[in-house]
Amino acid sequence: MSDTVNPAVIRRADYAAPAFLIDSVALEFDLVPERTIVKSTMRVRRNPDAGAAHGAPGARLELMGEALEFIGAAIDGKALPEGAVRAHEHGLTIEHAPDAFTLTIESACDAGANTTLSGLYVSSGNFFTQCEAEGFRRITYFLDRPDVMATYTVTLRADKAAYPVLLSNGNLIEEGELPDGRHFAKWEDPFKKPSYLFALVAGKLVSIDERIRSGSGKEKLLQVWVEPHDLDKTRHAMDSLIHSIRWDEERFGLELDLDRFMIVAVSDFNMGAMENKGLNIFNTKYVLANQETATDTDFGNIEAVVGHEYFHNWTGNRVTCRDWFQLSLKEGLTVFRDQEFSADMQGGATDEAARAVKRIEDVRVLRQMQFAEDAGPMAHPVRPESFVEINNFYTMTVYEKGAEVVRMYQTLFGREGFRRGMDLYFKRHDGQAVTCDDFRHAMADANGRDLAQFERWYSQAGTPRISVRTAYDAVAQRYSVTLAQGYGDASNAARETQKGPLLIPFAIGLIGRDGKDIALRLEGEAEAKGTTRVIELTEQEQTFTFVDVKEAPLPSLLRNFSAPVIVEYDYTNDELAFLLAHDSDPFNRWEAGQRLATRELLALAARAQAGEPLALDDSTVAAFSRVLTDETLSPAFRDLAMMLPSESYLAEQMAEADPAAVHAARQFARKRLANALKRDWLSIYESHATPGAYEPSPEAAGHRALKNLALAYLAEADDPADAIRLANAQYDNANNMTDRAAALAALLAASASAGTDAAERALEDFYRRFEQEPLVIDKWFALQATQRGSAQRPVIDIVRKLMAHPAFTLRNPNRARSLIFSFCAANPSQFHSADGSGYAFWAEQVVALDALNPQVAARLARSLELWRRYTPALREKMREALERVAGQVKSRDVREIVEKALA
Ligand code: TRP
Ligand code: ZN
């Protein structure tokens, strides 16, 4: 039987405007953990634009509701009799609704028992909400869809001693005392918003406050709210917020529109953070930091996430999504904005080498995670066509590939052209719920371009491949570059979506024998223009000819990663070494090193599979040695250049993924680089020390990164005695978490290579030192779950033992991620152990989590989705584990993942 109120598969093609609209809502909360009473008073009217065919039959109003206790409803003050209103599993049905009326509904929910962390829940005794995507319906009956936008007035009532702070969206307009030790606060949000942006917070919290003036001179109150013992970890988040506000004014002319902007940190949270209007709620991981507890990476992530949520105020909140298929409209665009913000904070608008560090980090994530997603059963377009559970579509594709799609507009039109498109987008759509097409049309119209073909970036899944052929005609001094696009052997899910060639902005440079860029003149042009050109590939195959080319050049392809594609070109090892040494495009310099390393590592993995001896060419080692010691390059760049491609990325490149062979290959190469360059590593370790007071600047962080990379390599050397000595000293003397955690990681690595227990003392000390800091204890679990391990000491045994540790709990997502996800998703060779013990553990944990928190369980479930791509023995064991889970899970979330994996 098909269920029209709650269909199993939701399709983009079935979108219909809502039959009713809600213009305003007044919410009253009586906050009690076990039974919070919510009274909602709404102005409702029939939607004049609702299509007749899709509208609800007659005058029936269907409101969504989940896990609610219905108490009563009234229309225009008259209680609805039985028969006129019906509460059911998915919501509330009201018969014979008038054309315009006031609807009052009273209901109750149990926040204390809510382990899903969606809707209203309790964490450390405080109340929080999480409404995106469909959590508001767990708070009250509503038209819980993003194209229903209303103004909200919220009254919170609670015991004053237990809940001294009462927050909601917008401006505080009234507060006061109530009988029996209770108090209230009334908040008003002047901006219309969809229900997913509603938020409330109540509890024992404290804030740091700042007052700033925004661009137009208005005073704004900024607050970061945390539990009292965390107040000493809020400065960096506040600074990041101030920088974000300034950046959005300068780069996009966008000003903060509320008098007050709040960030609240909560330790139980499903994702990173949430952009609720004026009241952002954050995972503590992306707020709390000081030098003792947070690494340089944490500091950078906090800046990025604070920026991301703040930028949503315009891209997401002022202009929101018509339906959830348009999610990338706000997420892809906002990720692009936060990437640009972080790059500007690192390198300003013009220091290309410093900006490239951020670009490389972002591309690494895209290639490692999004390309893998595209190759499996969850492959979907940036704008998906269907879903079972929307929470499963907050994906790498929607976020990271979506950001690349937005970036391509900027690559095509330049920063000014992109800004023109943004300005037009806000001029047309401020206050509306719109689609990805609306954004594309604004970009097209502002720049006088037809972007019809560009639509395919939103509707085609899979990673495009561009194969490149080049030819040099010495007599005619012409150099031709032929680009052909396709999808290779894309997954079935990806193949089904393909319609035709994409418009691909392809940035290219040509390098002469002297290592310098050649001025570029395309056939038909009067003169040369610049040394990097963005050529536009629009057909399946096209040839571009450069003229006046005096010698056979070396092509530098897809500079700065100008499109989210795979480039296939047969460079020789010598050519890659040359690019690694000379390319003026810093991204492609890094890329050349990665190509060289990938090729060598895959060859090593093949030898490992065949049981042949492993060897790495001196010339390859020399190419890396030159980068490592090139003082003209920043330490941060050298750190990235010396980092080998990850095991999961390498496994993904094999016809049949073999994690054990990849691990053997990568470990061999690390050891070889550790031994061959030992003197360099030691001297780098010394010369990049950062003595004196801790400084979180990008430069200081770069020195620490390179120094700690040196330590990590030294720990792989045949004789790790130096590493153990240095790491112990660094551990004891560290004045910051970056150095302390890196020292502990090096000790764990050294004990794996040396078969000693060199890490035991530091591990114990670390735990005792930071027992009161949950985010640091997460690191303690994660470091152990991702350690190398050995045949005598398999990591699964350590993980199972840690599951019984008093500090472990499945209920806190950060903690579950720190141990279980770290092992299942970030320790491939141990997880994919041939005996299947990793998969058995995975199955147990998915089922256990499913009963508590389906969103988190579904994320974990995804660690087996690429099972078909592995060697036959592993494949078989993975299928068994998936089938076991499929037979036991209850949630829609996990069922969608395992069923798609097995289909
Ligand atoms: N919109 C949020 C962001 O990208 C993320 C988000 C979506 C989220 N659903 C969530 C966060 C559920 C927490 C829980 O910034
Ligand atoms: Zn977002």
Side-chain angles (χ1 to χ4, degrees), residues 132 273 275 308-309 312 330-331 334-335 399:
E132 190 177 4
E275 69 263 25
H308 180 96
E309 305 312 330
H312 268 316
K330 75 177 178 80
E331 296 304 346
T334 304
V335 171
Y399 276 64

Side-chain angles (χ1 to χ4, degrees), residues 418-486:
F418 186 77
R419 171 69 191 269
R420 278 195 297 278
M422 289 287 278
D423 290 349
L424 184 59
Y425 175 63
F426 292 117
K427 188 165 164 229
R428 285 180 177 171
H429 301 300
D430 188 13
Q432 299 176 4
V434 304
T435 65
C436 297
D437 287 335
D438 292 320
F439 185 79
R440 181 168 51 87
H441 289 139
M443 282 291 155
D445 296 348
N447 290 284
R449 274 283 298 256
D450 175 358
L451 287 179
Q453 187 180 8
F454 200 78
E455 196 266 344
R456 290 188 183 136
W457 279 110
Y458 293 91
S459 57
Q460 298 189 170
T463 309
R465 287 173 182 269
I466 303 185
S467 63
V468 182
R469 280 176 288 125
T470 58
Y472 180 61
D473 180 339
V475 178
Q477 302 203 332
R478 291 158 62 89
Y479 186 70
S480 66
V481 178
T482 301
L483 306 178
Q485 57 171 308

Side-chain angles (χ1 to χ4, degrees), residues 378 389-395 858 862 892-893 896-897:
M378 273 292 287
E389 171 51 63
I390 184 57
N391 285 318
N392 286 333
F393 284 81
Y394 287 75
T395 58
R862 296 196 57 186
R892 232 176 354 167
D893 307 56
E896 177 171 31
I897 302 296

Side-chain angles (χ1 to χ4, degrees), residues 225-295:
W225 290 93
V226 296
E227 288 184 43
H229 57 268
D230 287 325
L231 200 56
D232 61 342
K233 303 182 204 80
T234 52
R235 190 64 242 171
H236 178 65
M238 177 61 87
D239 289 342
S240 300
L241 176 58
I242 295 170
H243 293 147
S244 304
I245 293 171
R246 295 288 173 238
W247 183 86
D248 220 9
E249 289 177 350
E250 274 163 34
R251 178 84 178 257
F252 288 108
L254 298 171
E255 195 174 347
L256 174 56
D257 52 10
L258 289 162
D259 302 338
R260 177 172 178 148
F261 191 88
M262 298 172 279
I263 287 176
V264 186
V266 56
S267 55
D268 294 295
F269 203 70
N270 283 346
M271 308 241 255
M274 180 62 214
E275 69 263 25
N276 317 301
K277 185 79 188 188
L279 181 59
N280 289 356
I281 299 183
F282 273 59
N283 188 325
T284 45
K285 183 174 164 63
Y286 296 107
V287 175
L288 303 179
N290 64 30
Q291 69 189 70
E292 304 293 335
T293 62
T295 62

Side-chain angles (χ1 to χ4, degrees), residues 122-165:
V122 176
S123 169
S124 307
N126 300 323
F127 284 97
F128 297 90
T129 56
Q130 171 55 43
C131 293
E132 190 177 4
E134 298 179 336
F136 192 71
R137 64 188 64 182
R138 300 171 58 91
I139 298 175
T140 185
Y141 295 99
F142 203 71
L143 289 175
D144 189 15
R145 44 186 288 169
D147 54 358
V148 173
M149 297 173 79
T151 54
Y152 286 64
T153 307
V154 179
T155 305
L156 306 175
R157 290 186 286 263
D159 182 80
K160 190 172 182 180
Y163 310 103
V165 173

